[in-house]
Amino acid sequence: MKKKIQTVQTLLDALPFIKEFRNQIFVIKYGGSAQTEQKLKEKFAEDILLMYLVGIKPVIVHGGGKKITSILDRLQIPTKFIDGQRVTTPEIMEIVEMVLSGDINKEIVSLLNNHGAKAIGISGKDAHFITARPKDFEKFGYTGVIEHIDPAVVYNLLNEKFVPVIAPIAASNKLSHPGYNINADLAASKIAVALKAKKVIFLTDTPGVLDKDKNLISTLDKVSIEKLKNDGTIAGGMIPKVDACLEAVEGGVEKAHIIDGRIEHSILLEIFTTAGIGTQILK
């Protein structure tokens, strides 16, 4: 009986958050171990289903860099990175689109549908939902920077009760163009701003942003982030993530979250509990 009462108490604790977040859009950048380990995939799908059923409108943006690299290695196609971003040749762009739109996107859609959510997969090329320009064509090839997002495409899907699953590939306005490979973190941030989302959540393979003693920093803003960058506390792959978070909150998103996708039900723990489990970034 005691266990049953605790279960009810947990539900009651979540009730204020469910009320607050009902009918709000949450953009979730899905990556890391949560996207590759089978057990974590199942827990992720359960989290999205619960959000969906209580009236939150989840929008999934996914990456797939590790799988792209694996297939390029298998095909013996050389690939290189500059400043953490892949140089995208025409040959690599073909593989990027095949893996992101044709493989990973459909796997996520199938996973969510099998759990009872009504998911549908798109890329930025669909209805020219996302258009981009070259980041630096001489240096990066078909790696792009987003110029425009048409939120109506996603709003229409949400109004029809779909969970949109978005592959970060952008269209070009030029005829017969192969499109652009977009960093998934930056795509999630831009999409969250365009959709006027309540939150953007980044699933990673770290607990969040850590201080020099490896303790979790629960809350950050622009001033504290710049200070931590300058003293080297925030470095490497965490820099583009916090930059994406800042871009989102400065663009009107209420909060951005960096959480540990290796923890089961990490999304629910972050949004439906007072303490949360990761780092939240505020304006």
Side-chain angles (χ1 to χ4, degrees):
M1 181 59 73
K2 190 175 181 180
K3 189 175 180 181
K4 290 179 180 178
I5 292 171
Q6 286 176 336
T7 301
V8 171
Q9 189 58 51
T10 301
L11 292 170
L12 290 173
D13 289 344
L15 191 57
F17 300 105
I18 293 171
K19 284 181 178 178
E20 181 185 355
F21 300 147
R22 185 168 180 80
N23 292 321
Q24 298 290 337
I25 296 171
F26 283 23
V27 174
I28 299 158
K29 192 286 178 140
Y30 181 43
S33 297
Q35 192 182 315
T36 56
E37 293 182 18
Q38 189 57 41
K39 188 175 181 182
L40 292 174
K41 288 181 188 180
E42 300 292 335
K43 301 304 179 185
F44 169 79
E46 290 170 2
D47 287 5
I48 299 302
L49 178 62
L50 180 59
M51 293 167 68
Y52 176 78
L53 291 175
V54 299
I56 295 171
K57 299 176 178 179
V59 175
I60 315 300
V61 180
H62 65 83
K66 287 182 181 178
K67 193 158 193 178
I68 291 166
T69 300
S70 173
I71 291 177
L72 289 171
D73 289 345
R74 202 185 313 159
L75 295 172
Q76 298 183 327
I77 299 172
T79 185
K80 66 176 182 176
F81 292 82
I82 299 174
D83 301 329
Q85 287 202 274
R86 191 187 303 275
V87 176
T88 311
T89 64
E91 191 176 24
I92 288 174
M93 187 65 218
E94 191 175 347
I95 302 300
V96 166
E97 184 156 26
M98 179 185 76
V99 173
L100 292 180
S101 289
D103 183 1
I104 293 174
N105 188 275
K106 301 314 170 195
E107 181 189 15
I108 297 167
V109 168
S110 179
L111 176 72
L112 294 174
N113 285 332
N114 286 338
H115 278 78
K118 187 181 167 187
I120 191 165
I122 62 172
S123 82
K125 284 186 172 183
D126 291 301
H128 272 206
F129 157 50
I130 304 172
T131 54
R133 59 175 171 79
K135 180 180 173 70
D136 178 342
F137 192 78
E138 294 299 317
K139 190 174 179 181
F140 289 98
Y142 291 102
T143 296
V145 175
I146 293 173
E147 282 195 313
H148 178 71
I149 293 176
D150 179 6
V153 176
V154 177
Y155 284 146
N156 288 338
L157 294 174
L158 292 172
N159 289 338
E160 294 297 324
K161 308 299 182 187
F162 283 107
V163 176
V165 180
I166 302 169
I169 295 169
S172 167
N173 289 318
K174 296 178 182 177
L175 290 173
S176 303
H177 192 281
Y180 290 105
N181 181 19
I182 306 293
N183 177 279
D185 290 335
L186 297 175
S189 169
K190 293 275 192 186
I191 290 166
V193 171
L195 293 175
K196 298 180 172 59
K198 178 86 168 176
K199 292 179 182 288
V200 58
I201 301 169
F202 296 85
L203 290 177
T204 68
D205 283 346
T206 65
V209 180
L210 306 178
D211 64 19
K212 286 190 179 295
D213 297 321
K214 304 301 179 186
N215 297 312
L216 179 68
I217 303 171
S218 59
T219 303
L220 288 169
D221 59 16
K222 185 174 183 177
V223 173
S224 55
I225 285 171
E226 288 306 315
K227 183 180 177 183
L228 292 171
K229 277 186 186 177
N230 291 336
D231 70 13
T233 303
I234 295 177
M238 188 54 74
I239 291 175
K241 281 193 169 35
V242 296
D243 286 348
C245 289
L246 280 176
E247 183 176 55
V249 296
E250 289 177 355
V253 178
E254 190 174 291
K255 288 183 183 178
H257 303 256
I258 299 172
I259 66 173
D260 195 340
R262 299 168 300 180
I263 297 174
E264 294 181 9
H265 301 302
S266 57
I267 299 174
L268 300 185
L269 289 168
E270 179 68 4
I271 66 174
F272 290 141
T273 64
T274 304
I277 62 164
T279 300
Q280 63 177 359
I281 288 87
L282 310 175
K283 187 172 181 182

